[in-house]
Amino acid sequence: MTTLQQAQPTQFSRILAIGAERGELVVTNDDIAGPIDSSDEWIRQRTGIITRRRAADGTDVLDLAEAAANKALDAAGLAGADIDAVIISTITHMHMTPSAAAILADRIGATPAAAYDVSAACAGYAYGIGQADALVRAGLARHVLVIGAEKLSEIIDPTDRSISFLLGDGAGAAIVGPSDTPGIGPTVWGSDGSKATAIRQTHSWTELREDPSLGWPTLRQDGPTVFKWASFQMAPIAEKAMAEAGVTAEDIKVFIPHQANMRIIDQMKKQLGLPDTVVIARDIAETGNTSAASIPLAAERLLSDGQAKSGDLALQIGFGAGLVYAAQVVVLP
């Protein structure tokens, strides 16, 4: 009798490299304040944003993803052919099918890598890292490319005061592969669909088809609901991620939360009781909120600026529309 064979597992995985690509255009608060009847001072005080990066008209989300992917491959010393699976988290790939991941795999020479998209908004990158960790350790892939990529400027209403002025464009890519030591802690993730309308699209594509006068769908949010949820309910998720990784706040060197709002970041630091020595990602000040791209973009900036270094233990957490969340402790590449 033939014995069924299964994939041979690998004990540990880690992030091998990170790459980043921001939108070409620097958009200041003064550039967008007029249509929302606001000011540079109000936007800075409410969000901590000084500028946001947005892509030019000729650049789409796949262009951003490809640039970030190639930078990560170069940093890892790998070629596209070394990638066994591609995971892209995005809500701004404007085609229902084929997936952005399949197209990107072809662009970077990763065919016939497995490829699929994740729709988990601002938690999508952390979702992808959790899945890549599982794929590598299960023996289903040796190297997995995880990308958070967004061109949120495609789905904003310039007159909207609830979320549009926060948003930017960019892509961050990470390569996850085997490791001799633990490099990615257990992923703590979940969702609360009862709050699905807290961050939402104005109307569906079906409604637009039936009534073209509705115009292009754009994003909206219930700011107070999202602020309260992110500021106070996400800290326990981050604490659970540390506990499941077997570390404490004293062990963490770097904190990389989703770059949603500077006040949320400060409140989470306080809730977590992180030491003052912990480096905290504040990429939102210059890049804006880039949804699924924000964590890898922030991580890349910290590493490039020398604020964080390879081997540092980092706590990362993504949270947003769905409402969905995911957190894990990782060793920085």
Side-chain angles (χ1 to χ4, degrees), residues 152-202:
L152 294 166
S153 58
E154 296 275 17
I155 53 173
I156 65 170
D157 173 358
T159 66
D160 165 51
R161 287 175 60 93
S162 74
I163 193 172
S164 292
F165 64 96
L166 300 170
L167 304 178
D169 303 333
I175 297 174
V176 175
S179 173
D180 294 331
T181 56
I184 300 174
T187 296
V188 176
W189 56 356
S191 66
D192 181 3
S194 71
K195 296 184 177 67
T197 59
I199 305 173
R200 63 196 181 278
Q201 187 172 296
T202 49

Side-chain angles (χ1 to χ4, degrees), residues 10-34:
T10 297
Q11 188 172 10
F12 304 123
S13 72
R14 67 168 293 165
I15 298 173
L16 303 177
I18 289 178
E21 181 73 8
R22 292 169 173 79
E24 308 97 316
L25 307 177
V26 177
V27 180
T28 70
N29 291 335
D30 288 333
D31 291 334
I32 63 172

Side-chain angles (χ1 to χ4, degrees), residues 34-93:
I36 60 172
D37 190 24
S38 186
S39 66
D40 173 65
E41 181 183 12
W42 184 88
I43 294 172
R44 290 192 192 213
Q45 289 179 349
R46 299 282 294 185
T47 70
I49 296 174
I50 301 170
T51 62
R52 74 276 302 132
R53 297 291 288 271
R54 290 183 177 167
D57 289 343
T59 301
D60 67 18
V61 71
L62 272 166
D63 296 326
L64 295 168
E66 181 180 3
N70 284 326
K71 290 176 181 178
L73 286 168
D74 288 345
L78 297 172
D82 298 314
I83 300 299
D84 304 301
V86 177
I87 303 170
I88 294 186
S89 177
T90 183
I91 60 170
T92 50
H93 177 51

Side-chain angles (χ1 to χ4, degrees), residues 266-289:
D266 290 338
Q267 186 59 240
M268 288 189 69
K269 175 186 180 294
K270 181 179 178 181
Q271 293 285 317
L272 289 168
L274 295 174
D276 290 338
T277 55
V278 171
V279 174
I280 300 178
R282 299 184 183 279
D283 188 47
I284 188 173
E286 296 179 4
T287 304
N289 178 343

